[in-house]
Amino acid sequence: MNIGYQRLVVALGAVSRTLPIPGLTEHAFGFKDLADAIALRNHVLTRLEAAAAAPTEAHRRRELTFVFVGAGYAGVEALAELADLARDALRFYPPTVQSTPQHWLLVDAAPKILPEIPPRLGEYAAEQLERRGVDIRVSTTLESVGPHEAVLSDGDRIVTSTVVWTTGAKPHPLLPKLGLPLDERGRVKVDSIFRVEGLPQVWALGDCARVPNEATPGRPDPPTSQHALRQARRLAKNLRGDPKPYRYRMLGQVATLGRHKGIAEVMGLKLRGFLGWWITRTYHLYQLPLISRKLRVVTDWTIALLFRRDIAELGMLGHPRRLGDD
């Protein structure tokens, strides 16, 4: 449908890109928002409970096998944090569970993990994960998912009760219905001051738009929160006064690899280990609004440094949506 416009700002987020993989929507977890994260954390702890009640070694191995598909930021950080959580929680479980090897599997079609970051840091991340026993399968895809299995393109059939889909994002499906000009990936075409092509009173930004960045000619912004925040600030100023082109050069990239472990590339400096984790935490803290909220988070993080990880299940905040229901 085509709509008449007087003055409109379009800022829709991306939704998960799910492929036509048999069993994916029925048996896999998504990892997009806070409700998904809490549900996944609780699920991992529940798997430890199931392993403790399992009658056989094979059953315990199934419950302690976790498959993550997608080796970008979301997949790597989720796997690393949850593996640390499961490892810390083992002290509360019987010897049969503690002695059963956990199998954490990271699968991606790309030839390496974390392709968004400098190669040296990506290699360090892979080395650290492998040192902790993570089974990394690159140049590999997920072929099908069952109630208790995941079949990979390399022919391996993984017996598991946990498959997590963290790969891919696509523009919101509402966009084609708005009658806006879209590129080949379904993003709204805009110029460097966020005006939609051919519609001078319509602006678009965020995951839904192909935003040209004058600081990186020929490379539109990726669909990440730090870029969307800068775009929104620039557009707000453009709407109030003389429009200026959007120009933003990233200061760096960060990622966590579990408790007290991380990687960071800031202004050309490559940091890893505890310092990389601390820089990552500091960046996230900087992005939080309100001084009162920052202080609460700092207090919580400081206390957490002095004690073991909290392994209690959390109450749900909203309801996770099934994959494909975006």
Side-chain angles (χ1 to χ4, degrees):
M1 65 179 177
N2 290 315
I3 305 174
Y5 303 101
Q6 295 294 325
R7 190 176 176 92
L8 175 68
V9 174
V10 181
L12 294 173
V15 297
S16 299
R17 184 191 300 277
T18 53
L19 302 178
I21 297 173
L24 180 67
T25 57
E26 294 85 1
H27 304 298
F29 286 84
F31 189 69
K32 181 174 174 58
D33 54 27
L34 187 56
D36 291 339
I38 294 175
L40 185 55
R41 171 193 165 95
N42 290 344
H43 173 80
V44 168
L45 294 173
T46 301
R47 301 278 57 81
L48 295 178
E49 297 289 338
T56 66
E57 172 79 8
H59 192 164
R60 282 195 295 274
R61 285 179 175 271
R62 185 189 79 188
E63 299 303 331
L64 298 178
T65 297
F66 307 90
V67 179
F68 285 70
V69 184
Y73 282 116
V76 169
E77 292 189 325
L79 182 149
E81 288 288 347
L82 289 170
D84 276 1
L85 170 69
R87 190 175 296 109
D88 288 347
L90 279 179
R91 67 186 187 273
F92 295 106
Y93 290 88
T96 53
V97 177
Q98 295 179 14
S99 61
T100 302
Q102 295 183 20
H103 187 190
W104 294 83
L105 184 64
L106 183 62
V107 178
D108 199 284
K112 60 181 182 179
I113 72 169
L114 292 172
E116 309 95 331
I117 68 174
R120 186 180 299 177
L121 285 178
E123 291 166 4
Y124 171 79
E127 176 188 328
Q128 289 298 307
L129 292 175
E130 289 175 337
R131 185 178 296 176
R132 289 153 62 185
V134 176
D135 183 0
I136 299 177
R137 308 277 186 97
V138 293
S139 300
T140 305
T141 58
L142 179 68
E143 296 296 303
S144 66
V145 186
H148 296 294
E149 72 170 13
V151 180
L152 306 182
S153 61
D154 61 8
D156 204 355
R157 185 179 299 271
I158 310 298
V159 179
T160 179
S161 296
T162 308
V163 176
V164 185
W165 180 264
T166 70
T167 186
K170 63 180 180 179
H172 200 284
L174 176 62
L175 287 176
K177 300 178 182 179
L178 298 179
L180 301 172
L182 306 179
D183 69 0
E184 68 281 357
R185 294 177 56 184
R187 300 171 298 180
V188 181
K189 297 179 181 179
V190 301
D191 61 20
S192 59
I193 61 173
F194 307 103
R195 287 181 305 198
V196 175
E197 288 185 7
L199 297 167
Q201 294 301 308
V202 182
W203 295 265
L205 75 158
D207 298 346
C208 72
R210 185 182 189 276
V211 179
N213 187 339
E214 292 201 352
T216 56
R219 293 172 53 195
D221 273 2
T224 63
S225 61
Q226 64 171 309
H227 288 91
L229 286 170
R230 269 67 177 198
Q231 293 169 15
R233 290 166 186 160
R234 181 69 266 164
L235 178 56
K237 293 176 182 177
N238 285 352
L239 293 175
R240 292 200 310 264
D242 294 332
K244 294 181 180 179
Y246 169 69
R247 177 186 294 272
Y248 170 61
R249 187 179 299 278
M250 287 197 306
L251 296 178
Q253 296 167 299
V254 297
T256 59
L257 298 176
R259 186 175 173 85
H260 302 159
K261 308 174 194 72
I263 51 177
E265 190 266 333
V266 181
M267 300 179 68
L269 296 175
K270 297 175 178 61
L271 309 168
R272 55 196 190 184
F274 181 85
L275 186 56
W277 173 84
W278 184 82
I279 292 292
T280 303
R281 281 290 183 100
T282 301
Y283 172 77
H284 291 324
L285 182 68
Y286 171 74
Q287 293 297 329
L288 285 177
L290 303 178
I291 293 296
S292 60
R293 186 169 298 171
K294 292 178 190 289
L295 290 174
R296 289 173 182 170
V297 170
V298 167
T299 301
D300 182 64
W301 286 353
T302 302
I303 293 173
L305 288 172
L306 306 176
F307 299 95
R308 289 183 171 182
R309 185 193 292 269
D310 181 4
I311 55 97
E313 291 190 23
L314 301 178
M316 292 303 299
L317 182 63
H319 298 282
R321 290 173 291 185
R322 199 177 75 159
L323 280 168
D325 288 347
D326 300 294

